[in-house]
Amino acid sequence: MHEMSITQSIVEICSEHAAGRRVRSVTLEIGELSGVVPDAVEFCFQACTRDTLLEGALLTIDRIPGRALCTDCQAEVPVHAYYDPCPACGSYGLSLLGGEELRVKELEVD
Amino acid sequence: MCTTCGCTSHDHDHGHHHHGDGHDKRDHHHGEPATQGRETIAVETDILARNNRLAAGNRHLFREKGLFVLNLVSSPGSGKTTLLERTLTDLSGTSRCAVIEGDQQTDNDARRIAATGVPVKQINTGAGCHLDAHMVAHAVEDLPLDALEMLFIENVGNLVCPAAFDLGEHHKVVVLSVTEGEDKPLKYPQMFHAADVMLLNKVDLLPHLDFDVERCCEFARRVSPGIRIFQLSSRTGAGMDAWYGWLGERRVEVIEKVTGAVTNR
C-alpha cells in the first residue's frame, strides 16, 4: 500500500505550490506501468487531504499508456505490462519509452 | 532541524500516521467546475522527486566513501536474513561490510546480523511497507562509513512497494525462494523489472518440490532481460561462491569508477 506515502507526497507538493491558497483541483499523470493504482490513490487522497488546503479538491488522474521500442525489430509498440512481448515480433527485449510516469501535472487554486 | 533533508522530526519516526478514520469514499469527479478568479498552476513535478533527491544524496555519499551498496528485496520468508548471515560470515576475512535492516517491528534481524560481528542499524517502519531514501540517509549516520566497503540494505519483506523507492543503492537484488512458485516474476513484475540481480534461494529443497527453475528464470528474463541470476542455498552454501564472485567484481568496478573519477578531475 505504498499509495499512502505516494499520496502524502502529492499533498506535500501541492501544498508547497499552493502557497497558502485553497486548492480546488489537482491533476495527476500516472503511467500504466508505474505500479501505482489510481483507485488506491483516490482512496488515500480522501484521508491525506483532510484538514489541509486540499480538502474537498477535485482529483483528476490522467493515465499515461505504456510505450516501448523493440530492440529487435525497432517497432514502437504499446505495452500494458513489463512481461508483454513485442506484438510485432514476439521479442521480450523492449526498451520503455513511456508509461512509468508519476507526476503532479497541475493545480487549480483560489 | 536535520541538515540532510530538512526534516524537523527529532525521533526520526517516518511512519505513516495519516490513515483516515472514515471510509466514506466521496466521488472526486463531482467537484465544482472551474470558475473565474481561479488560477491554474503548472506543477509538472515527479511525485517521487523528494525521495529521488534524497536518494541522489545517498548515492553521492556512497560514492565519496567508495561504498558498494545493495538493496535486498523479496517477499517475507524468502531467506534474506539467513542469506546475509552466511554472506557476512563467509566474507568476514575479505570485505568490511555493514547492514541496514528494515522491518515493520522488532530488532530480531538486527540481533541476528550483529551476532556475525558486522555493524548493523535497524529501521522500524511501523505501519510503513517499504524503506525510503530519507530513512536510509539517517540510518547511515550511525554506521562507520569510512571503515566500510559494502553496505547491504535488507528492505521490508514485500514484493510490491519497495520497487518504487530508490534508496541510492547500486543495485536492487531480488531474492526468490523456490518454495514460492516460479511465476512470481510475472505476478510481481515491477519488482523484478527494477532488480538487476535475482538470487534463487533454497535450491537445496528442489528435490522435494515441483518448482521449474528454467521456467522461473525465463519469466524473470521476460520482465528484466538483462537480469543476472544466481541459484544458491544459504543453508548448504551451494552456489554461494558465484554470488561472492559477482559481489567482489562489482565492488571493484564501483570503486575503480570512483578512483577514475577522482583521477580525471
Side-chain angles (χ1 to χ4, degrees), chain B residues 43-234:
Chain B
V43 179
E44 299 292 353
T45 299
D46 191 318
I47 294 166
L48 291 171
R50 181 169 179 274
N51 184 73
N52 293 343
R53 202 165 52 240
L54 292 168
N58 291 347
R59 193 163 276 123
H60 181 74
L61 176 70
F62 299 151
R63 195 184 307 127
E64 267 184 359
K65 303 289 182 188
L67 198 57
F68 181 50
V69 184
L70 298 177
N71 177 3
L72 270 71
V73 290
S74 81
S75 51
S78 68
K80 290 191 297 302
T81 312
T82 306
L83 181 96
L84 275 178
E85 285 175 311
R86 177 113 197 184
T87 302
L88 297 167
T89 304
D90 290 350
L91 295 184
S92 62
T94 52
S95 296
R96 289 164 293 159
C97 303
V99 174
I100 293 173
E101 279 290 337
D103 285 293
Q104 287 201 326
Q105 300 290 342
T106 83
D107 62 351
N108 291 354
D109 285 359
R111 283 191 277 121
R112 284 172 60 185
I113 297 299
T116 69
V118 311
V120 57
K121 173 74 184 172
Q122 177 79 51
I123 299 174
N124 283 136
T125 59
C129 49
H130 58 270
L131 294 180
D132 63 32
H134 189 193
M135 298 171 190
V136 169
H138 285 303
V140 295
E141 289 169 357
D142 295 331
L143 292 172
L145 298 186
D146 287 322
L148 297 174
E149 294 166 327
M150 283 196 217
L151 173 64
F152 297 93
I153 303 171
E154 183 181 337
N155 218 311
V156 178
N158 176 345
L159 265 182
V160 184
C161 310
F165 294 84
D166 183 9
L167 306 180
E169 73 274 4
H170 293 98
H171 299 287
K172 277 193 181 68
V173 175
V174 63
V175 183
L176 175 62
S177 62
V178 296
T179 51
E180 294 178 60
E182 62 252 345
D183 57 352
K184 277 274 165 78
L186 300 187
K187 285 179 171 168
Y188 300 91
Q190 203 82 27
M191 186 63 88
F192 288 83
H193 182 78
D196 300 314
V197 177
M198 177 170 99
L199 302 182
L200 192 59
N201 194 18
K202 307 188 188 178
V203 293
D204 53 310
L205 297 177
L206 280 172
H208 309 285
L209 303 166
D210 295 326
F211 190 92
D212 186 334
V213 172
E214 282 315 305
R215 235 165 109 75
C216 179
C217 296
E218 189 222 323
F219 290 153
R221 291 197 180 97
R222 277 192 202 175
V223 176
S224 185
I227 199 164
R228 287 289 302 266
I229 300 173
F230 297 100
Q231 299 178 37
L232 47 82
S233 163
S234 33

Side-chain angles (χ1 to χ4, degrees), chain A residues 1-2 4-6 8-10 12-13 17-18 21 24 28-30 33-35 39 42-43 45-48 50 55-61 82-83 92-94 96 100 102-110, chain B residues 15-35 37-48 50 129-130 158 160-161 164-165 185-186 189-190 193 218 221-223 225:
Chain A
M1 192 53 176
H2 60 305
M4 185 56 90
S5 58
I6 295 279
Q8 283 171 332
S9 297
I10 293 168
E12 279 171 28
I13 291 167
H17 281 82
R21 290 168 290 179
R24 294 298 176 179
L28 308 177
E29 289 178 327
I30 298 186
L33 300 168
S34 67
D39 280 356
E42 283 199 30
F43 182 79
F45 194 76
Q46 293 284 340
C48 291
R50 196 160 297 148
E55 185 161 3
L58 171 79
L59 178 67
T60 305
I61 298 178
Y82 282 116
Y83 49 79
Y92 287 100
L94 296 178
L96 282 179
E100 293 181 302
L102 212 46
R103 233 182 347 241
V104 179
K105 190 181 177 193
E106 61 183 33
L107 297 181
E108 201 182 37
V109 295
D110 276 346
Chain B
H16 310 297
H17 303 293
H18 298 281
H19 292 281
D21 51 356
H23 294 270
D24 54 328
K25 192 178 177 188
R26 284 173 288 169
D27 189 346
H28 296 293
H29 301 292
H30 292 175
E32 296 162 34
T35 55
R38 289 186 184 172
E39 184 192 342
T40 300
I41 303 172
V43 179
E44 299 292 353
T45 299
D46 191 318
I47 294 166
L48 291 171
R50 181 169 179 274
C129 49
H130 58 270
N158 176 345
V160 184
C161 310
F165 294 84
L186 300 187
Q190 203 82 27
H193 182 78
E218 189 222 323
R221 291 197 180 97
R222 277 192 202 175
V223 176

Side-chain angles (χ1 to χ4, degrees), chain A residues 1-95:
Chain A
M1 192 53 176
H2 60 305
E3 281 80 0
M4 185 56 90
S5 58
I6 295 279
T7 310
Q8 283 171 332
S9 297
I10 293 168
V11 173
E12 279 171 28
I13 291 167
C14 293
S15 301
E16 218 169 275
H17 281 82
R21 290 168 290 179
R22 182 140 205 102
V23 177
R24 294 298 176 179
S25 74
V26 175
T27 306
L28 308 177
E29 289 178 327
I30 298 186
E32 198 178 359
L33 300 168
S34 67
V36 170
V37 182
D39 280 356
V41 172
E42 283 199 30
F43 182 79
C44 294
F45 194 76
Q46 293 284 340
C48 291
T49 54
R50 196 160 297 148
D51 299 327
T52 73
L53 293 167
L54 283 81
E55 185 161 3
L58 171 79
L59 178 67
T60 305
I61 298 178
D62 293 345
R63 285 295 260 168
I64 311 291
R67 284 184 308 114
L69 181 72
C70 176
T71 52
D72 285 338
C73 77
Q74 305 299 317
E76 195 180 318
V77 296
V79 272
H80 305 294
Y82 282 116
Y83 49 79
D84 273 354
C86 170
C89 75
S91 163
Y92 287 100
L94 296 178
S95 172

